[in-house]
Amino acid sequence: MNKSTLALAVAVGVLAQQAGAAGFIEDSKATLGLRNFYINTDNRDGTADPSRNEEWGQGFDLRFISGYTQGTVGFGIDAIGLLGVRLDSGGGTNGASPATATNYGSYGGTVFPSKSNGEAVDNFSSLGLTAKAKISQTELKLGTLQPKLPVIVTNDGRLLPQTFQGGQITSNEIKDLTLVGGQIEHAKGRNSSNNEELSIVGANGRTAAGRDSNKFYYGGGDYKITKDLTAQYYYGNLEDFYKQHFLGLVHNWAIGPGVLKSDLRYFNSRDDGANGHDANYFTSGNYNAPNGKGKVDNNLYSGLFLYTVAGHTFGGGYQISNGSSDFPYLNQGDGASAYLTTDMQIQKFARAGERTWQARYSYDFAKVGVPGLTAGVVYLKGDEIDTVNARSGELANGASEWERDLTLAYVVQEGPLKNLGFMWKNAMWRTDLPNTRSQDENRLIVSYSIPLL
């Protein structure tokens, strides 16, 4: 039994004796989230399989969040139960690759885990428990976590969300300052029931050469300098892969009838341990090698500016990804998110050398008497990509890509179907990167949340 499991078992034992204490039950909440999710991805401009990925399923997300027992140190426990039921996998177009003599096969398809032959499973499920303790304004959590921080972001872009296993402490003892620190050991992908060790692009291949780590350390904080200005610093270290520093500044400025939000971000990422010398730990990027891989070496700068007035939001931004490697982030090969202003429906626009500009517009129809209805569009263009053609080893510098995302959503505001949500997400991605197929993608999502406690 590892340390995390033992500690969690002890905490659950303590809670079993104190569950009747005032606060633990009275402050508890339970909700059942329902999500019906359909995705269709059309791979264009090429012949490499597959030409189309399509899946449809129903997800159930049951969450229990307890209060705390009384006393100087309060104890509690949270739980998350996830179930995904397959409704259709497009007659074999789930996007999964089967296992072979030299390849373990993909973690799963677009939405569902897959069998060894690549077929989608009928359903998948998981249960996550989190023991927690609180003293004053400091909280410790141990077990299943879903952090959303600049150096580690939980992905929720499919039927069920990603989860992590580890421990985290959060402190708000000092006014206007939030401090966070933790360690992650495993991740459960959005299309999996299993906890896997951690890795990055380039090293996460499902072969004997694939490499991973069970130690990701992170820490940092947010300081509210004024009511409109927040400064951030965070550090992340995936052992044997990379070390990453993040600096951020967010400012809101009332200009005329609206508000201008400025979001400035900087990441400095360098190699750690084996990534500096062992080819099996290398990541993707612009390297003069047959496979286009090397050690982590990236500086990423970005700025996003949004002006909101009378229901309209106009935005523009620019991002620079300098260095020999692509931007590194936790990625086990089963879907991941990164804290980037360019993390879009299909791509992230953070390849080595890439310069990306973006324009945005969204509208909240509540301003014209239709509360709950929103629409938005984002366009990004990235160029000067430095990369390597993995097939021939020839440099393909100066490549480009663009993406256009549309989102239309409506949430029922009142009545027996209050909180019932509908969303359509459409994306187009085009690129001249070598041996890469452009994509069109549609997602249809119906969601509903039922309070139980």
Side-chain angles (χ1 to χ4, degrees):
M1 179 180 290
N2 61 39
K3 291 185 291 184
S4 296
T5 305
L6 178 60
L8 184 58
V10 172
V12 171
V14 172
L15 289 171
Q17 299 178 4
Q18 302 190 46
F24 182 90
I25 298 298
E26 289 84 344
D27 296 332
S28 295
K29 298 179 181 179
T31 59
L32 175 62
L34 307 176
R35 177 182 294 180
N36 190 278
F37 185 91
Y38 169 81
I39 185 170
N40 182 305
T41 303
D42 180 12
N43 298 313
R44 308 170 65 87
D45 304 331
T47 59
D49 289 334
S51 291
R52 179 171 60 92
N53 297 333
E54 184 178 29
E55 289 196 281
W56 178 32
Q58 176 63 51
F60 301 86
D61 184 334
L62 178 62
R63 300 192 182 223
F64 171 77
I65 301 175
S66 79
Y68 287 94
T69 59
Q70 291 185 332
T72 303
V73 180
F75 296 94
I77 188 167
D78 300 338
I80 174 172
L82 301 174
L83 170 64
V85 179
R86 178 171 62 88
L87 301 178
D88 184 30
S89 60
T93 60
N94 62 327
S97 58
T100 67
T102 59
N103 190 302
Y104 304 145
S106 60
Y107 282 102
T110 305
V111 174
F112 294 94
S114 56
K115 305 173 186 177
S116 59
N117 63 359
E119 294 181 359
V121 301
D122 292 332
N123 58 75
F124 67 113
S125 61
S126 64
L127 173 65
L129 299 176
T130 307
K132 57 186 183 181
K134 186 175 184 180
I135 179 170
S136 185
Q137 296 300 310
T138 299
E139 183 180 51
L140 170 68
K141 290 186 175 183
L142 185 64
T144 299
L145 303 174
Q146 292 186 296
K148 293 185 178 181
L149 301 170
V151 293
I152 177 171
V153 184
T154 300
N155 182 281
D156 191 20
R158 291 292 186 271
L159 183 67
L160 299 177
Q162 180 186 39
T163 61
F164 295 93
Q165 293 295 314
Q168 176 177 294
I169 186 168
T170 304
S171 177
N172 291 287
E173 300 292 343
I174 301 174
K175 182 182 178 182
D176 298 325
L177 176 64
T178 298
L179 297 174
V180 181
Q183 176 183 330
I184 297 296
E185 297 178 345
H186 296 89
K188 183 188 69 63
R190 60 194 186 184
N191 59 349
S192 176
S193 296
N194 303 321
N195 288 315
E196 305 284 349
E197 293 197 345
L198 312 167
S199 192
I200 61 175
V201 171
N204 60 10
R206 296 281 289 167
T207 68
R211 294 293 183 268
D212 48 38
S213 172
N214 67 349
K215 288 183 174 59
F216 178 75
Y217 306 97
Y218 62 96
D222 294 47
Y223 180 60
K224 198 168 185 179
I225 301 172
T226 70
K227 66 181 182 67
D228 295 315
L229 180 63
T230 300
Q232 299 175 293
Y233 169 76
Y234 283 89
Y235 173 78
N237 173 205
L238 179 58
E239 189 176 79
D240 277 328
F241 286 99
Y242 69 90
K243 296 176 181 177
Q244 187 173 81
H245 298 270
F246 168 82
L247 292 173
L249 200 63
V250 179
H251 182 249
N252 292 296
W253 181 18
I255 301 178
V259 175
L260 175 65
K261 179 181 179 181
S262 302
D263 187 345
L264 305 177
R265 306 179 187 184
Y266 168 66
F267 288 91
N268 175 277
S269 306
R270 294 294 180 266
D271 61 281
D272 180 69
N275 177 261
H277 58 81
D278 188 335
N280 287 326
Y281 286 82
F282 284 171
T283 189
S284 56
N286 179 40
Y287 295 96
N288 293 307
N291 60 5
K293 297 179 182 179
K295 67 181 183 180
V296 170
D297 172 34
N298 185 273
N299 284 298
L300 189 140
Y301 314 79
S302 70
L304 179 63
F305 305 92
L306 302 171
Y307 184 67
T308 301
V309 57
H312 302 274
T313 298
F314 305 89
Y318 191 70
Q319 179 172 282
I320 299 173
S321 177
N322 277 337
S324 296
S325 80
D326 298 342
F327 175 78
Y329 56 97
L330 294 179
N331 188 337
Q332 290 63 249
D334 52 0
S337 293
Y339 188 68
L340 302 175
T341 61
T342 57
D343 190 349
M344 294 291 108
Q345 182 170 329
I346 297 178
Q347 292 295 329
K348 291 182 169 56
F349 292 81
R351 306 174 196 269
E354 189 164 12
R355 272 69 172 148
T356 305
W357 64 267
Q358 64 171 286
R360 301 181 177 212
Y361 173 74
S362 63
Y363 186 68
D364 184 348
F365 286 83
K367 295 297 182 179
V368 291
V370 190
L373 178 64
T374 57
V377 59
V378 183
Y379 179 84
L380 302 91
K381 175 64 182 296
D383 53 23
E384 298 187 37
I385 299 172
D386 297 335
T387 188
V388 169
N389 183 331
R391 183 174 61 182
S392 66
E394 296 176 355
L395 290 174
N397 292 345
S400 64
E401 59 180 336
W402 64 263
E403 181 170 338
R404 188 272 299 140
D405 293 359
L406 292 173
T407 302
L408 180 64
Y410 178 69
V411 178
V412 178
Q413 300 294 296
E414 57 186 4
L417 296 179
K418 182 179 179 180
N419 295 325
L420 177 65
F422 304 87
M423 181 180 292
W424 171 53
K425 297 171 69 70
N426 171 271
M428 294 178 62
W429 175 63
R430 299 292 183 269
T431 183
D432 56 10
L433 285 163
N435 305 314
T436 304
R437 302 186 67 176
S438 297
Q439 292 182 345
D440 290 342
E441 184 178 277
N442 283 286
R443 303 179 189 178
L444 297 174
I445 307 165
V446 180
S447 58
Y448 189 53
S449 180
I450 303 174
L452 304 177
L453 285 178

